[in-house]
Amino acid sequence: MDYIDSKSLRGRLPVEDTNLFRRTGRLHFSLTVALVAALLPPTASSQPLSPHKQIEALVDRYSAQYVQASKAIWEYAELGYHEEKSSAILQRDLREAGFRVEAGVADEPTAFIATYGHGSPVIGVLGEFDALPGLSQAAVPDRNPLAAAAPGHGCGHNLLGAGAALAAVALKEYMERNHVAGTLRYYGTPAEEGGDGKVYMIRAGLFRDVDVVLHWHPADRNTVANGGALAITSAKFLFHGVAAHAAFAPERGRSALDAVMLMGTGIEFMREHIPSNTRIHYIVSNGGAAPNIVPDTAELFLYARSPSLDTLDGIWGRIVKIGQGAAMMTETTVDVKILGSDNNIIANDALASVAQKNLEEVGGFRYTAEEQHFAEELQKSLPPGRVRETGSTASIEPLRRFDPNEPAASTDVGDVSWNVPTIGFTAATFAPGVVPHTWQATACAGMSIGQKGMLVAAKALAVTGADLFSNPQLIQDAKQDFAHQLAGKTYKSEIPSGQKPPLDYR
Ligand SMILES: [Zn+2]
Ligand SMILES: [Zn+2]
């Protein structure tokens, strides 16, 4: 024996071997090798990785493919219910990874469910892939649309959909290798931006047998999202008047645009008398055809939001009255068409503490010099007070419950959380200080900062999924917390029952 590698010596300090070495006259050298080897940490080949480390390694293994998918979806930038190519690319990748794919569910052509495994428990992961109108932007740190007024991924749903699929693929392979029982589902959910794809999927019964749902959303920081989001109802107020020549015979006309403007004025006066955590915003989606024609149709498209649908309902009733009042004042009529409605997200403390532990274990990431430069350039375009330290992407925010009075958006994840115990993450896909629905967010979602954040989210989702599959008590605790949070409350939706998905809602 003239060669001894450190691996073969580890764990068996050489009592008998010392004789051998003495015989070879190499005692001093050999003992040194043996002692050093005994003190070394175990290598990857000598000791299996922990389940979490196995999963993180699987996420890394498939990351290039899903970074590519995120880039393709970013380039397609398809609006809600029109995400044909984006949905197809994720369906293809999941099918090739061994999932059974059912497409076009819940009367939504771009919705799908990809399933692996059988039986209980059933864990769902949510994916989105719709873009926003007008937010086209190159992956550069100054305003530069790829196409004028075209859609763009200003909410980072290209990362959301691809990152959630990456988590599902890594978790599926881990389950397969380790003979983990249960069902893993990826929900391809269209039209999060105002189309409420998930609400119709809930109505179709697609979440009925799910034990826990996991989700994530792009952001400028790494957090566990325990609760949050505002309840919302959106509607179009379509006024009908009488057309006339605006100069020759204005007395014959009844202006639908006048009604729209009076409705807006009424809402501005009402603002003083509603809770300060209410948000109401609107656009004139139809203001008439030409100044010299009294508009016989005009439309106000309005969103109203509040911490819960219960508090929103009373305010909504007043908004409708203002619309009716505006119609009365102008001798027009009004049709109110509810387009969408989401609930707030129900917190789940049992799931949140596990999610926080896992996110801290996964950790954040640091920028390269190039990414640092990109982020700093981008931050120059932000309003004062918005900028955060770029180093914050390396850390995880402390766990806390959502405060209903802090600024928030809305999401149809809220409705899922009223039906199934749900927990989410955010990951630092946007340069610190960048908020969603901006060109700056689109820029980050199309380059490495967004892609690195996506990997943080994929790992956090996948390891949390693995914990749920391996620990039935955790699912029980999540269900108990769910029941506790919703005690005395009933799930409802303001979307009229029987309404089909609004495939052309824009
Ligand atoms: Zn959004
Ligand atoms: Zn979003």
Side-chain angles (χ1 to χ4, degrees):
M1 190 187 287
D2 59 5
Y3 172 75
I4 298 168
D5 77 29
S6 61
K7 227 184 287 171
S8 67
L9 279 174
R10 181 171 305 112
R12 51 181 182 97
L13 256 177
V15 177
E16 59 284 291
D17 288 4
T18 49
N19 296 327
L20 174 69
F21 300 144
R22 195 174 289 123
R23 280 200 300 276
T24 61
R26 299 173 62 200
L27 173 63
H28 180 73
F29 171 73
S30 302
L31 268 179
T32 306
V33 169
L35 285 167
V36 168
L39 293 170
L40 282 173
T43 61
S45 58
S46 67
Q47 196 159 321
L49 291 173
S50 71
H52 285 191
K53 291 298 165 203
Q54 284 182 52
I55 291 165
E56 289 191 40
L58 287 165
V59 169
D60 285 330
R61 174 184 299 179
Y62 294 109
S63 61
Q65 181 185 352
Y66 288 89
V67 162
Q68 189 50 44
S70 83
K71 197 73 208 281
I73 296 168
W74 184 84
E75 281 165 9
Y76 297 145
E78 296 168 300
L79 294 176
Y81 290 128
H82 299 280
E83 316 98 323
E84 287 90 6
K85 288 187 274 189
S86 306
S87 176
I89 200 169
L90 292 173
Q91 288 181 43
R92 183 202 65 195
D93 285 359
L94 286 160
R95 197 180 284 113
E96 285 176 2
F99 284 77
R100 309 183 292 278
V101 175
E102 193 187 350
V105 294
D107 292 327
E108 299 174 18
T110 50
F112 68 95
I113 294 178
T115 306
Y116 167 75
H118 297 277
S120 181
V122 180
I123 306 299
V125 182
L126 302 179
E128 299 166 7
F129 27 74
D130 57 324
L132 284 158
L135 288 179
S136 172
Q137 165 69 24
V140 296
D142 55 302
R143 183 64 170 132
N144 189 356
L146 287 169
H153 271 290
C155 212
H157 292 183
N158 61 312
L159 302 168
L160 198 168
L166 173 57
V169 166
L171 181 53
K172 177 251 170 196
E173 187 155 332
Y174 168 80
M175 291 170 73
E176 203 168 35
R177 286 183 184 185
N178 294 280
H179 310 290
V180 176
T183 305
L184 172 62
R185 280 199 204 126
Y186 177 97
Y187 285 82
T189 68
E192 189 279 332
E193 300 289 359
D196 296 310
K198 295 178 194 67
V199 176
Y200 300 94
M201 294 173 86
I202 292 165
R203 290 182 177 189
L206 301 177
F207 286 92
R208 204 173 282 145
D209 62 344
V210 186
D211 291 294
V212 171
V213 161
L214 303 174
H215 68 99
W216 81 283
H217 200 285
D220 73 338
R221 60 198 73 186
N222 305 307
T223 68
V224 167
N226 189 25
L230 298 171
I232 182 172
T233 298
S234 67
K236 286 184 170 173
F237 292 78
L238 178 61
F239 292 89
H240 305 277
V242 180
H245 194 295
F248 189 68
E251 73 283 359
R252 294 191 195 172
R254 295 293 179 269
S255 171
L257 178 61
D258 288 356
V260 161
M261 293 170 74
L262 285 165
M263 182 175 176
T265 304
I267 285 166
E268 297 317 321
F269 276 100
M270 188 183 76
R271 272 191 213 280
E272 187 185 346
H273 309 289
I274 55 176
S276 56
N277 53 16
T278 308
R279 295 275 190 274
I280 302 175
H281 26 266
Y282 51 86
I283 59 169
V284 178
S285 43
N286 174 3
N292 60 355
I293 305 169
V294 173
D296 62 351
T297 60
E299 187 180 73
L300 187 111
F301 187 6
L302 177 143
Y303 287 12
R305 315 190 203 219
S306 181
S308 77
L309 269 190
D310 279 343
T311 55
L312 183 57
D313 278 352
I315 297 162
W316 188 258
R318 293 163 69 193
I319 291 171
V320 172
K321 277 186 193 162
I322 289 172
Q324 290 163 341
M328 188 184 282
M329 281 190 281
T330 51
E331 295 191 317
T332 60
T333 59
V334 61
D335 293 327
V336 184
K337 181 169 171 46
I338 297 219
L339 281 177
S341 186
D342 297 329
N343 280 271
N344 55 310
I345 296 180
I346 298 298
N348 194 296
D349 295 334
L351 292 171
S353 58
V354 174
Q356 180 74 17
K357 188 171 73 58
N358 288 340
L359 184 59
E360 286 173 4
E361 190 184 305
V362 168
F365 63 97
R366 292 195 182 281
Y367 288 165
T368 61
E370 208 174 319
E371 289 161 352
Q372 180 76 20
H373 178 70
F374 186 101
E376 284 169 3
E377 285 300 304
L378 202 58
Q379 286 179 332
K380 288 178 187 166
S381 67
L382 301 180
R386 273 285 185 202
V387 176
R388 283 160 53 88
E389 284 294 313
T390 52
S392 63
T393 61
S395 58
I396 309 298
E397 304 269 314
L399 180 61
R400 65 183 185 89
R401 270 276 194 95
F402 170 72
D403 172 0
N405 293 311
E406 69 187 276
S410 307
T411 169
D412 53 8
V413 173
D415 287 61
V416 175
S417 79
W418 277 75
N419 287 275
V420 185
T422 298
I423 195 70
F425 298 94
T426 72
T429 59
F430 305 146
V434 169
V435 292
H437 293 210
T438 59
W439 65 261
Q440 292 92 338
T442 309
C444 294
M447 51 83 71
S448 60
I449 289 176
Q451 292 150 5
K452 282 184 174 174
M454 179 182 98
L455 299 189
V456 170
K459 287 176 180 176
L461 286 169
V463 297
T464 304
D467 286 354
L468 289 161
F469 279 111
S470 65
N471 184 357
Q473 186 58 46
L474 176 54
I475 294 178
Q476 281 318 310
D477 292 348
K479 287 185 173 174
Q480 206 175 339
D481 202 74
F482 176 75
H484 173 70
Q485 303 286 347
L486 287 178
K489 296 178 183 161
T490 311
Y491 171 65
K492 64 176 178 182
S493 170
E494 295 304 324
I495 299 174
S497 62
Q499 183 161 307
K500 293 282 181 202
L503 302 185
D504 282 304
Y505 64 100
R506 288 192 187 279

